[in-house]
Amino acid sequence: MMRFLLRLPIRWLLSILTIFGLALSATASPSQAAPSSAGSPITVGFSVSLTGDFSGDGKAVLQGYKLWASHINSHGGLMGRKVKLIWYDDASSETQVATNYTKLMTSDKVDLAFGPFSSLLTIPAGRVAQRWGYAFLGPAGGGPSVFQQGFKNYFFVQPAPVKDNLLSFVHWVTNLPKSKRPTSAAYLTVDDPFATPEVQTAEAALHKAGVKTAYSVVIPAEATDFQSEALKAVHSRAQIVVIGSPGANLSIALIHTFIQQHYNPRAIVATSGPDQGKQFSDAIKLANTEGIMVPEGWWYGAHTYQNKTFVREYLKAYHGKVADISQDTPEAYSVGQVVQQAVAKTHSLSNATLIKTLHSGKFNTVQGPMRWNSIGEPQGQMFLVQWLHGKPLPVYPGKFAVARAEYPKPNWH
Amino acid sequence: MDLIFGAIVTGILAGGVYALMASGLTLVFGVMDIINIAQGALVILGAYLSFSLAGRLHIDPLFTLILTIPLMFVLGVIVEIAVIRRIRRDRTMFSILVTFAVALIIEGALTRIYGADLVQINAPYVDASFKVGSVYVTYIYLIGFILSAVLLLALYAFLYRTKFGQGIRATVQNRTAAELIGIDVARVETVTFGIGVSLAAAGGMVYGAVNPFNPVSGYDLISRLLAIIILGGMGSLTGALAAALLMLVIENVTSIYAPVWASTVFYVVLAVVLLVRPQGIFGSLSARRQ
């Protein structure tokens, strides 16, 4: 046989190899794994950043997924079957996250797939999920670049697309009495698909509302030292500061410099950092958190679907205080809640059916009710949370507020 | 003008801290011809040790150095004996792999113990500052700079005023000749590696007070530390100090005009210097002549 093949003209040989290759690829064409058999656990796979830049958030996401699985298993499971989580660490790497989902979907053949942390990782992960036909629900991939992919199987499980996150802050500022309204703002953001669009949307909206841009900078993603940018913000004497931080790092570093430079803006809002509970308050000292704002989609005291149960189960499993709960955890928990309701609605584990159902319905989560457009953008609204007397509390808009916003923010301690 | 003055002052003070962190790296290369990729992770380990001791014993982070420097010295000695000494050929190349493994082990252990959350060492002087002209200078940077100066001077005194230091310098100049005149080169290397790691403890304390950090922060550090010792001249302590100051001042001043170019400008300077002086500003040859 080998001798025969070697004697063939090269053109023939290439033709045979091409036909053979095509036949092989046809047999391996994307098709979602058949749902696991009744009686065996339902497998839910995801990639999580336990190391690397997103490891802080990744850990909180894992807590949310675990907590949901534990809750569902103690309440009869999904369609009467236990849920089993399978996850791999992606080291916050775009390459590794794609490898992990390929493994989960082709080798582990999980029944359902949950998303990773960050817009950066959701894009490569979403491509894999789309190829293998999975309904893909992400707790933290809401940057415009994700929706630009046009995924039909992706659903961002937060109340609003990320670029609109700071609009609650913008509306709060523009609704201040004219005499109190700030006239200048400084914008500092890391070059990141999550943080940058939020800050740029806020800058455009505030500029339109008459708030002068005193300083605006996009800091390269690889930067580790932010002293010069912070000093420029200080020297701009802007009355309010908007920070675009994908994690807590930039927020903490800038606030330290502001304290050291005795710079007291009337308001500070950050895309992330102040939502990290204890991690944030420990890093800048609790007293200095007073008045700092962050847009959020969840609050521990909100009267939303199963929120009390979530908080109770979180404290039982991980201890600490309610104010210490990272936003990432309820966001991840919400992913499970949505899947659970979609499965209950359809009585099916077919991902094609789930995608169709998720596009058409409204689903309840600890973050409130959710529904999505054709590319997975949520159609709700974020609210503004402010640290007040050691606790983050919703202050705007009125329907979410439980406390009055403190303005101007008190001086540093 | 105020901004430029502030950027230069901050750059010089922060540069001193980076010099301290890089000095261990360059010293170890000078004596042992190995590149310790784990230096960044060791700095973070030092930061965590100070963080834990300050938190648990309720002592000032500066005083934690009394414990962390000897502890890290012992760790360095153990790593040298257990891992580095076993590299028999292509020392420089294999040391990169071996010390990378050490970095991964440290990162894994720290993640296991502390988790991945960002933490920061707190002390009353971390956020306190004083005014120089129109610029506020932070006490922690000043303390870090003074600490760096004291430790680097102590290191110089050790290298130039003690018999053991002579042995180290002899090994730097010619390892074989040092062995022939009776210097216990293996012991010199072990102690040198220990010193290099113990300097990471001091650098870590200051780094952890200035920056929020977590177990993976070491990877951001190591690339900067390597750039510093390459620019300064591998093996040269003076070079590490000069390059660290230059790096931080260049980055800070460039950031004022164009943050996107801050790191790039430094690396352009690095490339130009290496084209003119491939051995770096102070070069290993001049270091060996010291």
Side-chain angles (χ1 to χ4, degrees):
Chain A
M1 178 67 179
M2 202 60 205
R3 205 173 290 168
F4 168 73
L5 283 175
L6 287 172
R7 275 185 199 155
L8 279 176
I10 189 75
R11 241 183 301 165
W12 282 48
L13 193 63
L14 283 173
S15 305
I16 292 170
L17 283 174
T18 309
I19 292 164
F20 187 67
L22 285 172
L24 264 181
S25 65
T27 56
S29 66
S31 65
Q32 201 242 319
S36 53
S37 55
S40 60
I42 291 172
T43 50
V44 178
F46 56 89
S47 178
V48 66
S49 305
L50 296 178
T51 51
D53 287 348
F54 305 137
S55 49
D57 298 279
K59 191 187 76 178
V61 165
L62 180 60
Q63 285 182 336
Y65 286 157
K66 278 180 164 178
L67 212 55
W68 169 76
S70 156
H71 173 82
I72 198 83
N73 284 336
S74 62
H75 288 78
L78 264 185
M79 293 167 66
R81 291 161 61 189
K82 291 273 181 202
V83 167
K84 184 185 166 196
L85 300 180
I86 300 175
W87 72 86
Y88 300 108
D89 177 19
D90 53 44
S92 312
S93 148
E94 292 164 82
T95 321
Q96 190 58 45
V97 80
T99 307
N100 288 355
Y101 279 103
T102 306
K103 188 169 185 239
L104 286 162
M105 292 169 186
T106 60
S107 173
D108 298 323
K109 296 186 192 302
V110 292
D111 294 305
L112 302 164
F114 289 177
F117 177 82
S118 85
S119 297
L120 197 69
L121 301 190
T122 299
I123 295 171
R127 286 188 191 128
V128 178
Q130 187 177 44
R131 176 176 160 77
W132 297 102
Y134 276 81
F136 200 51
L137 292 93
S145 52
V146 176
F147 302 117
Q148 280 158 13
Q149 307 296 315
F151 295 137
K152 301 291 180 208
N153 60 324
Y154 179 66
F155 304 88
F156 176 48
V157 188
Q158 281 189 32
V162 155
K163 70 175 172 43
D164 296 339
N165 278 3
L166 284 170
L167 288 182
S168 52
F169 175 75
V170 171
H171 295 150
W172 171 73
V173 168
T174 51
N175 277 306
L176 285 169
K178 208 170 178 186
S179 58
K180 288 186 174 179
R181 205 177 299 164
T183 55
S184 60
Y187 305 88
L188 303 98
T189 178
V190 166
D191 188 4
D192 175 84
F194 162 77
T196 313
E198 285 184 67
V199 173
Q200 286 173 343
T201 306
E203 184 177 353
L206 284 171
H207 183 75
K208 208 174 161 190
V211 180
K212 202 180 114 197
T213 299
Y215 176 56
S216 179
V217 65
V218 178
I219 302 166
E222 68 276 11
T224 51
D225 190 282
F226 315 108
Q227 277 278 321
S228 296
E229 290 83 0
L231 286 176
K232 268 192 113 173
V234 172
H235 281 259
S236 78
R237 303 197 189 287
Q239 292 178 341
I240 58 171
V241 176
V242 180
I243 300 170
S245 182
N249 202 350
L250 179 69
S251 303
I252 293 170
L254 291 180
I255 289 169
H256 270 293
T257 307
F258 294 164
I259 298 169
Q260 290 159 358
Q261 296 297 322
H262 304 263
Y263 171 48
N264 284 289
R266 292 187 193 175
I268 295 179
V269 66
T271 56
S272 183
D275 59 343
Q276 299 296 312
K278 195 173 182 321
Q279 187 185 166
F280 179 71
S281 57
D282 279 356
I284 68 162
K285 287 186 220 163
L286 193 61
N288 283 324
T289 59
E290 186 69 15
I292 295 176
M293 295 170 149
V294 63
E296 288 188 359
W298 172 85
W299 177 59
Y300 57 81
H303 299 292
T304 48
Y305 177 66
Q306 293 182 336
N307 196 32
K308 272 187 185 166
T309 312
F310 163 76
V311 172
R312 192 178 61 240
E313 289 179 352
Y314 178 94
L315 294 176
K316 193 177 164 195
Y318 304 115
H319 313 292
K321 294 184 217 150
V322 283
D324 301 340
I325 301 175
S326 159
Q327 280 286 312
D328 300 317
T329 307
E331 285 160 8
Y333 190 87
S334 302
V335 168
Q337 289 182 303
V338 171
V339 167
Q340 175 193 349
Q341 289 162 62
V343 169
K345 230 176 192 178
T346 57
H347 302 287
S348 166
L349 285 177
S350 154
N351 275 271
T353 312
L354 291 176
I355 292 168
K356 210 173 156 191
T357 309
L358 289 165
H359 274 305
S360 57
K362 194 173 178 182
F363 298 85
N364 289 315
T365 73
V366 290
Q367 300 178 87
M370 297 218 184
R371 58 192 173 83
W372 297 271
N373 65 12
S374 63
I375 52 167
E377 281 181 313
Q379 304 296 295
Q381 174 188 20
M382 299 287 271
F383 51 88
L384 191 60
V385 160
Q386 186 174 41
W387 278 82
L388 295 167
H389 310 295
K391 281 181 187 172
L393 298 173
V395 292
Y396 190 85
K399 65 176 175 179
F400 295 105
V402 297
R404 208 180 150 85
E406 190 174 30
Y407 182 82
K409 186 186 97 52
N411 288 353
W412 305 114
H413 284 76
Chain B
M1 207 57 206
D2 288 349
L3 271 174
I4 296 175
F5 177 64
I8 292 172
V9 170
T10 315
I12 291 171
L13 295 178
V17 179
Y18 273 87
L20 181 60
M21 292 188 281
S23 57
L25 194 60
T26 206
L27 179 72
V28 165
F29 179 80
V31 175
M32 302 169 72
D33 275 344
I34 71 159
I35 297 169
N36 182 12
I37 293 290
Q39 188 76 1
L42 288 162
V43 167
I44 298 303
L45 175 63
Y48 270 111
L49 285 175
S50 287
F51 173 77
S52 290
L53 288 170
R56 281 178 193 274
L57 305 179
H58 302 288
I59 54 171
D60 189 287
L62 270 175
F63 290 116
T64 63
L65 294 180
I66 297 166
L67 287 169
T68 60
I69 289 179
L71 262 175
M72 292 283 279
F73 177 83
V74 173
L75 176 71
V77 167
I78 292 169
V79 170
E80 202 282 330
I81 292 170
V83 184
I84 308 292
R85 194 177 287 185
R86 290 166 200 279
I87 306 171
R88 299 282 179 214
R89 61 189 173 86
D90 291 339
R91 261 190 143 198
T92 311
M93 287 306 294
F94 277 114
S95 68
I96 294 174
L97 285 176
V98 165
T99 53
F100 182 56
V102 172
L104 288 175
I105 292 167
I106 292 169
E107 182 207 332
L110 290 176
T111 307
R112 191 91 189 152
I113 298 165
Y114 294 98
D117 284 356
L118 289 165
V119 294
Q120 188 158 358
I121 296 169
N122 270 317
Y125 47 80
V126 166
D127 285 329
S129 55
F130 60 97
K131 213 166 183 182
V132 178
S134 57
V135 175
Y136 280 101
V137 176
T138 50
Y139 283 104
I140 183 62
Y141 274 113
L142 188 66
I143 290 169
F145 188 81
I146 293 169
L147 182 70
S148 303
V150 168
L151 287 174
L152 290 176
L153 281 173
L155 187 60
Y156 265 99
F158 176 70
L159 290 175
Y160 289 90
R161 296 282 180 267
T162 66
K163 203 172 174 194
F164 199 87
Q166 272 183 345
I168 291 177
R169 285 188 295 129
T171 311
V172 170
Q173 282 175 357
N174 192 321
R175 186 188 164 94
T176 314
E179 272 178 329
L180 285 173
I181 59 167
I183 292 171
D184 186 348
V185 171
R187 190 159 157 259
V188 164
E189 289 187 341
T190 306
V191 173
T192 304
F193 199 82
I195 292 171
V197 173
S198 64
L199 288 170
M205 192 289 284
V206 183
Y207 181 84
V210 172
N211 300 285
F213 61 95
N214 67 8
V216 296
S217 303
Y219 297 112
D220 291 333
L221 261 178
I222 190 63
S223 56
R224 289 164 77 85
L225 298 184
L226 282 173
I228 286 169
I229 68 162
I230 291 167
L231 178 64
M234 293 185 74
S236 166
L237 283 173
T238 319
L241 178 63
L245 298 184
L246 195 64
M247 180 190 210
L248 271 291
V249 170
I250 287 175
E251 279 193 2
N252 278 6
V253 173
T254 313
S255 282
I256 294 171
Y257 300 102
V260 175
W261 292 98
S263 303
T264 313
V265 170
F266 170 74
Y267 284 104
V268 169
V269 172
L270 176 65
V272 171
V273 169
L274 292 183
L275 280 173
V276 182
R277 282 183 64 84
Q279 72 272 36
I281 299 172
F282 284 82
S284 55
L285 289 175
S286 66
R288 282 161 201 263
R289 274 201 300 270
Q290 282 172 351

